[in-house]
Amino acid sequence: MRLDYLTIFPDYLAPLRLSLPGKAVESGLLELHVHDLRSWTTDKHRTVDDTPYGGGAGMVMKPEPFGAAFDALEIEPGDTIVFTTPSGERFDQRVAEDLATRSRLVFACGRYEGIDQRVIDHARTRAEAREISLGDYVLNGGEVAALAITEAVVRLLPGFMGNAASLVEESHAAGGLLEYPVFTKPPTWDDRSVPDVLRSGDHGAIARWRHEQARRRTAERRPDLLAPSALADGTPIERAVPGDAGELMTLQRACWVQEAVANPGAPIPAFAESLDDVRAWLGEWDTYVVRRAGRLVGAVRGRLEPDGTTWDIGRVMVAPDVQGQGLGRALLEHVQAAAPAAATSYTLFTGAGSDRNQRIYKKAGFRLRTDLPAPPGAVVLVKQRSHA
Ligand code: JD8
């Protein structure tokens, strides 16, 4: 990837050479070019700004230097010009992942009151042009944003980060949760000990603990990052609590009575479970419920398998009298969105004879996997998680 920066403060971008490992530049993975915009001025004062048409405070950056710079840098259609600006699209991990697919980014860093609009309009005629904001606060120029965007993008380039696995776990990847708490030696410091589970060697328990910690942190600090918590009609999708066990048992019996009648004698755990059984699994699964008029009418559960990367989905349940309204699909989407960042695939079981359910899951992107073990009378469907 080639990175160009147009700025009137080239020294501001000197940290680029410190923060991006030199070996990435030496290996050719990265090409960095910082340009002083004044190189493309033509007057003796090297003027880059002028008073705003229409009046108002401050100065506006003139279009000519940018135009001359774009020509000199030979910017072409396959390039991407990034204008950092408070009025741009909000920069986040998804934008970083998108920009990381480009072969060349040219950062146009404004100052003063901003860049003459005709520069942006011109840029759109010769390349992809993106106006990107670092966040909802006002800086004095675009260089800080260019540095932040650069770091977030470059670290995603294949081969840049030594341990690619750490990229997968990161919280803001694919709409994930906040980071879980991390610990290192010594085992006790300031009379504070590292959680026992992290020293247990039980990778499944560790993954579940980390997921729960991340969920708790996210719910406390950034509930907006949690999976969409409502149906299209505004009905909330809520986390089940232990007190929901009775209604969940009733719902699952209602949902499976049809299957039990259709398949006499078939083993249907969901139909046979007691209230204590439901209470038990409620403590092990992330379970989500939907209520209508105070009645529990839909539920779904998910949990991370011991491998730490497979999100196990189960008990997609919709009360028989409200089926056919898209509630099952919404619950299935919700439980996928709620999967932890570490999850790379989803898996679920359904009745071997449940053609309708299998059609629904296949339509949702799941694929039948007859090569994988399944409980008696059931089949496995799997879906790879897309990080789009
Ligand atoms: C580029 C000039 C200053 C902005 C008058 C203050 C990004 N998230 C962000 N906040 N601020 C910027 C940003 C600010 C800039 C320029 C980016 C060029 N300014 C101007 C308008 C109001 N002054 C940014 N990315």
Side-chain angles (χ1 to χ4, degrees):
M1 179 182 278
R2 172 169 171 150
L3 299 169
D4 290 275
Y5 303 81
L6 284 170
T7 172
I8 60 172
F9 293 127
D11 291 348
Y12 209 113
L13 297 171
L16 283 172
R17 300 208 174 279
L18 306 175
S19 62
L20 303 178
K23 61 180 182 299
V25 178
E26 286 153 20
S27 67
L29 182 68
L30 274 185
E31 244 191 277
L32 288 178
H33 302 273
V34 178
H35 312 279
D36 183 343
L37 185 68
R38 295 185 195 277
S39 308
W40 289 282
T41 57
T42 54
D43 64 307
K44 68 177 179 178
H45 299 296
R46 311 187 78 203
T47 306
V48 292
D49 62 306
D50 205 333
T51 53
Y53 276 119
M59 303 292 274
V60 173
M61 298 191 83
K62 294 171 58 60
E64 300 96 327
F66 282 100
F70 291 167
D71 291 342
L73 296 179
E74 297 180 336
I75 290 175
E76 54 189 26
D79 299 337
T80 297
I81 304 172
V82 176
F83 293 92
T84 50
T85 168
S87 57
E89 64 180 296
R90 179 71 177 273
F91 183 66
D92 64 14
Q93 193 65 19
R94 267 140 304 286
V95 177
E97 289 168 354
D98 183 32
L99 293 180
T101 65
R102 305 304 195 267
S103 56
R104 185 186 189 188
L105 300 178
V106 180
F107 289 90
C109 302
R111 282 275 156 174
Y112 306 102
E113 296 305 305
I115 300 172
D116 186 302
Q117 179 60 40
R118 290 169 293 180
V119 175
I120 294 108
D121 299 339
H122 164 75
R124 295 192 193 287
T125 68
R126 62 189 300 164
E128 176 190 26
R130 301 281 287 271
E131 295 180 82
I132 297 177
S133 168
L134 201 53
D136 296 336
Y137 41 81
V138 182
L139 301 168
N140 285 331
E143 286 81 3
V144 167
L147 285 171
I149 294 167
T150 298
E151 182 149 326
V153 168
V154 166
R155 64 194 304 280
L156 297 176
L157 297 182
F160 185 79
M161 287 286 286
N163 175 9
S166 64
L167 286 177
V168 173
E169 277 215 342
E170 289 178 345
S171 60
H172 290 284
L177 303 173
L178 297 182
E179 300 294 342
Y180 46 74
V182 291
F183 300 82
T184 186
K185 302 178 187 66
T188 299
W189 175 80
D190 190 37
D191 288 336
R192 301 170 193 278
S193 295
V194 171
D196 292 339
V197 65
L198 297 182
R199 303 177 66 205
S200 67
D202 180 340
H203 297 296
I206 291 168
R208 286 192 292 276
W209 180 88
R210 286 174 165 173
H211 172 52
E212 183 47 37
Q213 292 294 316
R215 283 199 62 77
R216 179 178 300 138
R217 258 188 181 183
T218 308
E220 288 165 0
R221 302 176 188 178
R222 289 291 305 276
D224 61 295
L225 289 179
L226 286 174
S229 55
L231 303 176
D233 65 4
T235 306
I237 302 177
E238 301 165 306
R239 283 290 294 267
V241 295
D244 292 325
E247 282 198 277
L248 280 166
M249 184 189 73
T250 304
L251 176 62
Q252 64 187 33
R253 288 191 178 186
C255 289
W256 268 271
V257 69
Q258 294 165 292
E259 186 155 340
V261 169
N263 305 284
I268 307 176
F271 186 66
E273 281 176 353
S274 69
L275 185 54
D276 285 343
D277 292 332
V278 175
R279 285 193 181 111
W281 64 249
L282 255 182
E284 296 169 5
W285 293 74
D286 291 358
T287 303
Y288 304 91
V289 295
V290 169
R291 287 181 173 81
R292 288 233 171 102
R295 173 180 152 233
L296 196 149
V297 295
V300 66
R301 69 185 191 181
R303 75 174 172 184
L304 207 54
E305 290 200 342
D307 65 7
T309 60
T310 305
W311 185 241
D312 193 358
I313 293 171
R315 303 289 164 86
V316 183
M317 302 187 279
V318 178
D321 59 310
V322 295
Q323 288 177 2
Q325 300 174 21
L327 183 50
R329 186 180 65 251
L331 285 165
L332 185 59
E333 287 169 0
H334 182 84
V335 74
Q336 291 175 73
T344 56
S345 67
Y346 310 109
T347 184
L348 55 79
F349 299 136
T350 193
S354 306
D355 296 339
R356 177 176 173 276
N357 286 351
Q358 291 184 36
R359 271 197 310 278
I360 290 168
Y361 293 135
K362 288 175 180 173
K363 192 174 178 185
F366 285 78
R367 291 294 167 264
L368 193 58
R369 291 290 301 274
T370 52
D371 59 311
L372 296 178
V379 290
V380 183
L381 294 100
V382 175
K383 175 180 177 182
Q384 292 310 310
R385 187 177 200 181
S386 66
H387 279 272

